[in-house]
């Protein structure tokens, strides 16, 4: 496995891989790898000849007062984990390699990015689409892998790929969960042990809502109220949003029908957790 | 020469060309081809195995009240001209192929796009960078060719390519001029014969300024005044802007030094003409 920090070397290696006609799988990450990332890598390795994992804590997608500085980093451990699943190349550039002095170009998806997480994190998705567009140009992957946990990110990136006619396929893989249902996230590390126990409320409340839908409930307001009640019963949990939206334009639905995304964001102190499920009626 | 109007067919052909390891030259145009375009095509043909010319009057780069509807179009004539210089493929998509319903993604270069033409045409360069990013993804050219006449466009696109790590080389070719010095432009067609005669004032005034610099003038204000006087002496000419800027960030200079761009925009009735020269001191 090669570890590359500069763009010139990356381009040389990718050029050679392409010349051989090999397919490339890309798993973009911010590092501090967990089982969710590893499951993406295993899929990417199985479906492509050459696996690239990028590790870059992207300052552009963090807002003022968010956790850019504190975001956990452990490149040595990440290298071991990536090597163990057959990663061929880690691209881990410093910030100045990605955003040199005078950097000025941004990729933005409109509408889809102003709802859900976008409304509490202005600029977040613009940072995501910009860095992912750069990574796609640098690695020219055949397939790129993202997790369903970041559902809105997956929708936004899919829209970017379609709209800008990017020549690759996005693969969105199911959320990987801890034994008790908590969605894997590098930010789970911030939780105290008491918060960690309460954090299962995200997935539990989503499942409750799915159960209500199964029983015939179609009113999004009633479902949201149910979820809110569950969340408020968990000690230290502050609900940031619950939304029930369609899965094409992420617009709030007036009745649950077709394919809907139920997405929530919950804060424990400064730690912000998200989770979601897709329900089909 | 193939004429392609849909993306699926284009992708198939480009995929085959790439598989053969051929280099691709792309000349993006809005059609109504003139000698300026043809000189780009000849260069592209000489430097690449496969020449793609796109012909697309891009609505996204026209502002409200601009000449999108009136912009001259003549695909039959364009085909003949392109074939004569050895074009291998014309890509001439309808608008809905490039911007289907629900289109939402935009590429934007900041700072460089708010000066010069950007200040009188808000959104123009965002339209240019977005459509060019799409064309680059669709055609994956080895080299893409643009004219120096649209100097700011060339700077902005070069910035986009660098910032987004696009894997291609931009080639900026000198402005092609009529015998009397008028820069070739599809919009010259709008000029009455009286205006056509007066329109030589753009290049003449730029040359006068270059002469003054040669003689030692370094004050941009004095040079701009000189140009403005020339322009105001031409019947029917209304000056939109004169700027003397550095060639890295397009910021107005306080003294002429190093490499400077002198750029002007002049209107004859509704017809907007631009021209520029680069001077080195």
């Amino acid at each position: 496995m090669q570890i590359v920090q500069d763009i010139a070397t990356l381009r040389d290696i990718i050029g050679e891989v392409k010349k051989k006609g090999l397919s490339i799988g890309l798993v973009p990450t911010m590092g501090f790898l967990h089982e969710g990332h590893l499951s993406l890598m295993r899929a990417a390795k199985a479906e492509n000849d050459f696996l690239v994992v990028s590790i870059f804590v992207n300052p552009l997608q963090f807002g003022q007062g968010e956790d850019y500085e504190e975001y956990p980093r452990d490149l040595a451990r990440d290298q071991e984990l990536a090597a163990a699943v057959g990663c061929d190349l880690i691209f881990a550039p410093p910030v100045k390699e990605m955003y040199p002095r005078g950097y000025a170009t941004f990729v933005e998806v409109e509408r889809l990015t102003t709802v859900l997480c976008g409304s509490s994190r202005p600029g977040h998705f613009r940072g995501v689409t910009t860095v992912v567009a750069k990574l796609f140009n640098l690695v020219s992957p055949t397939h790129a892998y993202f997790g369903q946990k970041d559902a809105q990110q997956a929708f936004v990136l899919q829209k970017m790929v379609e709209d800008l006619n990017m020549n690759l396929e996005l693969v969105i893989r199911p959320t990987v969960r801890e034994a008790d249902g908590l969605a894997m996230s590098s930010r789970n590390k911030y939780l105290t042990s008491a918060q960690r126990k309460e954090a299962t409320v995200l997935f539990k409340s989503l499942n409750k809502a799915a159960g209500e839908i199964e029983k015939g409930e179609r009113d999004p307001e009633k479902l949201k109220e149910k979820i809110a009640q569950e969340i408020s019963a968990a000690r230290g949990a502050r609900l940031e949003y619950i939304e029930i939206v369609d899965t094409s334009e992420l617009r709030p639905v007036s009745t649950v029908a077709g394919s809907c995304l139920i997405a929530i964001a919950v804060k424990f102190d400064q730690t912000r957790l998200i989770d979601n499920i897709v329900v089909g009626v």
Side-chain angles (χ1 to χ4, degrees), chain A:
Chain A
M1 187 180 72
Q2 299 178 79
I3 295 150
V4 175
Q5 297 198 301
D6 71 288
I7 285 171
T9 307
L10 179 67
R11 279 211 196 283
D12 286 348
I13 297 170
I14 295 294
E16 289 304 312
V17 171
K18 286 271 160 192
K19 224 180 254 172
K20 289 182 199 154
L22 302 180
S23 61
I24 298 177
L26 170 66
V27 181
T29 82
M30 298 209 300
F32 208 72
L33 303 177
H34 53 63
E35 189 53 35
H37 300 113
L38 299 176
S39 96
L40 298 179
M41 293 178 201
R42 285 188 206 101
K45 182 70 183 177
E47 296 164 6
N48 300 275
D49 302 317
F50 192 86
L51 170 56
V52 178
V53 173
S54 64
I55 296 181
F56 180 61
V57 183
N58 174 32
L60 214 60
Q61 71 190 70
F62 288 81
Q64 202 120 40
E66 288 187 3
D67 57 343
Y68 173 67
E69 296 296 339
E70 297 77 43
Y71 198 87
R73 292 157 169 92
D74 190 344
L75 190 56
R77 181 172 157 279
D78 288 346
Q79 285 177 19
E80 273 179 43
L81 290 169
V85 294
C87 174
D88 297 289
L89 187 156
I90 286 182
F91 178 54
V95 170
K96 69 175 188 325
E97 188 75 2
M98 294 295 273
Y99 305 117
R101 199 179 134 83
Y103 188 89
T105 307
F106 302 90
V107 178
E108 186 149 25
V109 176
E110 295 187 344
R111 294 197 306 277
L112 290 183
T113 53
T114 55
V115 295
L116 305 175
C117 290
S119 60
S120 49
R121 305 186 72 188
H124 168 67
F125 287 110
R126 185 180 189 243
V128 171
T129 44
T130 299
V131 80
V132 170
K134 285 169 65 73
L135 290 168
F136 286 175
N137 286 330
L138 286 167
V139 176
S140 55
T142 321
H143 304 94
Y145 295 77
F146 296 89
Q148 174 64 24
K149 202 262 286 176
D150 299 304
Q152 187 176 10
Q153 172 177 279
F155 279 106
V156 168
L157 291 175
Q158 185 62 52
K159 186 73 180 150
M160 174 183 79
V161 166
E162 285 170 19
D163 279 355
L164 292 185
N165 310 108
M166 292 172 165
N167 202 5
L168 59 96
E169 204 180 309
L170 285 198
V171 181
I172 310 303
R173 303 268 309 167
T175 302
V176 177
R177 300 180 180 281
E178 304 285 355
D180 62 3
L182 178 65
M184 299 247 181
S185 165
S186 304
R187 290 191 170 100
N188 292 349
K189 181 190 154 71
Y190 298 144
L191 299 169
T192 65
S193 65
Q195 289 171 336
R196 172 64 189 81
K197 273 179 206 141
E198 298 292 337
T200 56
V201 73
L202 279 83
F203 191 48
K204 274 184 195 148
S205 67
L206 289 169
N207 276 331
K208 278 255 168 86
E212 295 294 321
I213 292 169
E214 193 106 329
K215 282 188 262 167
E217 183 62 75
R218 294 292 179 268
D219 183 344
E221 293 311 316
K222 287 199 179 137
L223 291 163
K224 286 162 70 172
E225 201 175 306
K226 207 85 182 182
I227 296 172
Q229 277 168 9
E230 289 280 320
I231 305 268
S232 68
R235 186 180 304 222
R238 278 177 303 121
L239 185 64
E240 190 178 284
Y241 71 73
I242 317 173
E243 294 290 353
I244 305 182
V245 298
D246 68 78
T247 55
S248 57
E249 286 277 325
L250 303 184
R251 283 167 306 211
V253 296
S254 56
T255 182
V256 176
S259 170
C260 290
L261 174 76
I262 310 183
I264 56 178
V266 173
K267 273 190 153 181
F268 289 91
D269 284 335
Q270 292 311 304
T271 305
R272 186 174 176 280
L273 303 180
I274 59 174
D275 203 348
N276 68 85
I277 55 172
V278 173
V279 291
V281 174

